[in-house]
Amino acid sequence: AQTVTQSQPEMSVQEAETVTLSCTYDTSENNYYLFWYKQPPSRQMILVIRQEAYKQQNATENRFSVNFQKAAKSFSLKISDSQLGDTAMYFCAFIFYNQGGKLIFGQGTELSVKP
Amino acid sequence: GAVVSQHPSWVICKSGTSVKIECRSLDFQATTMFWYRQFPKQSLMLMATSNEGSKATYEQGVEKDKFLINHASLTLSTLTVTSAHPEDSSFYICSARDRGVSGNTIYFGEGSWLTVV
């Protein structure tokens, strides 16, 4: 069975500091995509960053970067220079290349950025 | 960019009635859409995969007769909660995959809050 595990239900960080959210997953497949989504109180799902499993280079989007360890099936998200607007639920998820977009989500991490 | 629109954003219905939620892909064709349910402080739980022109595929434990899904066109999927009860109150959100420009981009609707009274 394919699963995604986020072991940190809640985290907090001071504004301007760096925080890392952890995510591990389990699959026997080799071709997939990994995502981090942000869900603010509005409940809108916002794509933060994505990683193709075949790429060794870690994805980066401005203040957001990932540490993708395929062999360890680990996909952590690092947020640098945290801002108050980063406060949200963060979900790790993955899909297989040829499965039409069916996302498998982790349990989520509630991040609070404190002033 | 591509957008998925969901309607209504909020709906209140009486127990025993049915309510329909629409999910539209506005500028791309989506042969497959997905319906999720989310309880407070929890993750998104996949309910079903909506397939254009054919029957939906439901996840284990989801009642097919209670959550009717119709995907009559390449841009519209609907979720109808039939004979709604208070325990059906939840946040429902749809997604669609755009295989076009960027290959595997998933877009989410804004979500719909359902309250059954």
Side-chain angles (χ1 to χ4, degrees):
Chain A
Q2 291 80 32
T3 59
V4 179
T5 302
Q6 293 178 248
S7 59
Q8 306 151 314
E10 298 178 353
M11 291 196 71
S12 64
V13 63
Q14 290 296 129
E15 194 175 7
E17 294 188 348
T18 295
V19 64
T20 298
L21 309 183
S22 66
C23 172
T24 58
Y25 58 95
D26 187 22
T27 180
S28 57
E29 298 290 328
N30 203 40
N31 296 319
Y32 49 88
Y33 291 91
L34 292 159
F35 304 87
W36 278 98
Y37 281 93
K38 169 185 176 181
Q39 189 181 44
S42 68
R43 293 290 189 117
Q44 178 69 47
M45 294 293 285
I46 301 167
L47 177 64
V48 174
I49 199 165
R50 59 180 251 167
Q51 173 85 41
E52 290 86 347
Y54 65 86
K55 289 187 177 179
Q56 292 185 337
Q57 187 174 7
N58 290 323
T60 299
E61 287 288 343
N62 300 315
R63 299 183 294 107
F64 300 89
S65 62
V66 298
N67 183 2
F68 174 46
Q69 302 290 330
K70 191 173 183 179
K73 296 179 182 175
S74 171
F75 183 60
S76 61
L77 174 70
K78 186 172 80 171
I79 306 174
S80 304
D81 185 25
S82 298
Q83 300 176 359
L84 296 178
D86 295 333
T87 294
M89 282 288 285
Y90 286 81
F91 293 102
C92 177
F94 78 88
I95 61 169
F96 299 117
Y97 275 173
N98 298 313
Q99 211 171 53
K102 177 179 173 180
L103 279 162
I104 300 170
F105 284 94
Q107 304 92 322
T109 297
E110 186 170 13
L111 176 67
S112 297
V113 180
K114 300 185 183 304
Chain B
V3 174
V4 173
S5 176
Q6 196 170 334
H7 177 81
S9 300
W10 300 83
V11 58
I12 300 173
C13 71
K14 290 185 177 180
S15 188
T17 63
S18 296
V19 61
K20 181 185 289 186
I21 301 170
E22 294 185 346
C23 180
R24 293 181 183 272
S25 58
L26 295 186
D27 55 2
F28 67 97
Q29 294 181 336
T31 54
T32 307
M33 294 183 175
F34 301 87
W35 287 97
Y36 296 85
R37 183 175 183 176
Q38 187 181 28
F39 291 107
K41 299 280 190 178
Q42 294 189 22
S43 187
L44 280 71
M45 181 192 76
L46 180 67
M47 299 175 65
T49 302
S50 175
N51 304 299
E52 188 270 334
S54 64
K55 291 182 179 180
T57 305
Y58 289 83
E59 295 299 304
Q60 191 173 5
V62 177
E63 299 176 59
K64 302 178 183 182
D65 295 333
K66 179 157 191 66
F67 298 100
L68 299 180
I69 290 173
N70 184 273
H71 195 150
S73 77
L74 287 170
T75 58
L76 174 64
S77 174
T78 59
L79 168 68
T80 301
V81 182
T82 63
S83 187
H85 290 284
E87 56 265 31
D88 298 325
S89 299
S90 188
F91 184 70
Y92 293 88
I93 190 166
C94 68
S95 71
R97 182 180 185 182
D98 182 2
R99 294 176 179 264
V101 176
S102 54
N104 280 286
T105 300
I106 312 295
Y107 295 98
F108 284 86
E110 306 93 332
S112 300
W113 284 101
L114 170 63
T115 301
V116 184
V117 297

